[in-house]
Amino acid sequence: MSRPRTTRLVAPAYAKVNLGLEVLGLRQDGYHELRTLFQTVDLKDDVIMTPRTSGLTLTCTDPTVPCDKRNLAWRAAHDLLRYTGLKRGVDLALVKRIPVGGGLGGGSSDAAAVLIGLDALFRLKLGTTGLYPLARRLGADVPYFLFGGTALGLARGDEIYPLRRQVEAQIVIVAPGQPVSTPAVFRRLDASLTPRENSSTIYRFVSSDLDGSAGYQILSNDLERAALEEAPELAGVVRRARALMRRAGAFFTSLSGSGSSFFGLFGEARSARLAVEMLRDAGVVAHRSRTLSLDRYRRTWERALKVAGVRPTWIQ
Ligand code: C5P
């Protein structure tokens, strides 16, 4: 098939962790009412988008990732083209680095990158507001990636409030490489769930001084216990990783989302490096990274779009 003159966009799709996650109750729509604090980390997939006259293709460096409509990135492109009625197509190529099914939001981030990227490549001018309903329909974590940085997620976790104060920390991520089923973790939690709409931990945290490490001690992930019951072989890794990271100087440790990834926050690169070494000596694979602020998230997008010769339309 003949191709028009194309601009190839190599877009960044960053991973996230949940610094805190409160499950407040079950909603009428079957989802759970959440309060969560999202944080982008400097670990990314690349989503390469090459426009074509028609058709939609997807390839991926990870052979375990499906390359059809089961893939959220494929669905994002399909939904956007259908919604706008645009008679164009795109070749998508995913360079996967974010562990799959690990609570780091890789699939959701890839999908959001497709929405932002195609909006710019095809000059659709939908922007964050126009893309939001499409993102929301793809999955509860997708809207967050239209913003990035440190942000509060309410409702299903899809009502996003970027924070003015952004978390700055070194982060060590342990990805045991064992996917945990998010619906199964939520189902397990339901058995013991007591509605607690009045919980205010995350609100207290976001109104506290984010520069200090003491404030983090009130945060927790309500899914952690259910996730470790769902995947009991993870419990040992998490216990060991938590103890080693604390010993290396982590001021906060938590499971991300419904797992299986686990992380620690550190004030200094030296402590984070030490944690990675201690974990590796104990046979646990760990990645060192940094948190990524809202500003840096946007700047990396601006750079990617500039390289492709495309004007950013999503940044107001
Ligand atoms: O929206 P998404 O498909 O990413 O959600 C995956 C699953 O996580 C849902 O099917 C649901 O079981 C659970 N979930 C939930 N409440 C939320 C978000 C996700 O129950 N707020």
Side-chain angles (χ1 to χ4, degrees), residues 26-27 30-34 72 108 136 138-142 155-157 182-184 186-187:
L26 192 58
R27 295 161 51 103
Y31 272 72
H32 292 77
E33 188 72 15
L34 304 183
L72 269 191
S108 301
R136 207 169 154 261
L138 288 165
D141 277 352
V142 182
R156 303 188 319 168
T182 304
F186 273 104
R187 268 198 307 276

Side-chain angles (χ1 to χ4, degrees), residues 182-262:
T182 304
V185 171
F186 273 104
R187 268 198 307 276
R188 196 172 273 273
L189 182 79
D190 285 341
S192 59
L193 193 63
T194 43
R196 51 191 194 90
E197 281 78 3
N198 293 326
S199 170
S200 60
T201 305
I202 286 190
Y203 288 152
R204 274 188 11 242
F205 178 80
V206 299
S207 57
S208 72
D209 180 3
L210 290 184
D211 296 333
S213 57
Y216 286 82
Q217 306 321 316
I218 61 171
L219 292 176
S220 63
N221 181 341
D222 286 353
L223 296 178
E224 183 167 323
R225 188 196 289 193
L228 298 185
E229 282 171 12
E230 183 62 27
E233 56 290 7
L234 265 186
V237 180
V238 165
R239 211 175 25 248
R240 253 184 309 154
R242 179 168 267 146
L244 286 173
M245 286 204 233
R246 292 268 187 210
R247 215 179 309 148
F251 62 82
F252 180 66
T253 57
S254 177
L255 194 77
S256 184
S258 58
S260 55
S261 297
F262 186 82

Side-chain angles (χ1 to χ4, degrees), residues 37-248:
L37 193 60
F38 287 112
Q39 176 62 55
T40 319
V41 298
D42 195 1
L43 161 69
K44 67 176 173 66
D45 293 341
D46 287 330
V47 183
I48 304 167
M49 294 168 242
T50 312
R52 49 189 285 163
T53 45
S54 65
L56 174 53
T57 70
L58 173 64
T59 58
C60 183
T61 51
D62 181 341
T64 67
V65 171
C67 286
D68 51 25
K69 62 179 178 224
R70 288 169 295 167
N71 190 302
L72 269 191
W74 189 96
R75 289 222 296 274
H78 173 263
D79 290 6
L80 184 75
L81 292 170
R82 201 169 60 174
Y83 172 75
T84 56
L86 191 72
K87 296 280 174 276
R88 294 293 301 272
V90 66
D91 291 327
L92 300 173
L94 303 180
V95 180
K96 289 299 288 181
R97 296 188 201 90
I98 305 172
V100 176
L104 298 173
S108 301
S109 187
D110 294 347
V114 168
L115 294 179
I116 298 167
L118 294 188
D119 186 36
L121 278 173
F122 292 139
R123 294 173 171 71
L124 299 169
K125 296 200 165 72
L126 291 169
T128 308
T129 314
L131 295 176
Y132 177 81
L134 286 166
R136 207 169 154 261
R137 225 170 303 139
L138 288 165
D141 277 352
V142 182
Y144 161 69
F145 290 103
L146 299 177
F147 298 89
T150 313
L152 188 62
L154 304 182
R156 303 188 319 168
D158 54 1
E159 198 181 301
I160 305 300
Y161 299 92
L163 297 190
R164 200 160 56 82
R165 281 184 301 174
Q166 297 282 300
V167 167
E168 287 268 356
Q170 300 281 325
I171 183 163
V172 172
I173 300 171
V174 171
Q178 174 193 357
V180 178
S181 156
T182 304
V185 171
F186 273 104
R187 268 198 307 276
R188 196 172 273 273
L189 182 79
D190 285 341
S192 59
L193 193 63
T194 43
R196 51 191 194 90
E197 281 78 3
N198 293 326
S199 170
S200 60
T201 305
I202 286 190
Y203 288 152
R204 274 188 11 242
F205 178 80
V206 299
S207 57
S208 72
D209 180 3
L210 290 184
D211 296 333
S213 57
Y216 286 82
Q217 306 321 316
I218 61 171
L219 292 176
S220 63
N221 181 341
D222 286 353
L223 296 178
E224 183 167 323
R225 188 196 289 193
L228 298 185
E229 282 171 12
E230 183 62 27
E233 56 290 7
L234 265 186
V237 180
V238 165
R239 211 175 25 248
R240 253 184 309 154
R242 179 168 267 146
L244 286 173
M245 286 204 233
R246 292 268 187 210
R247 215 179 309 148

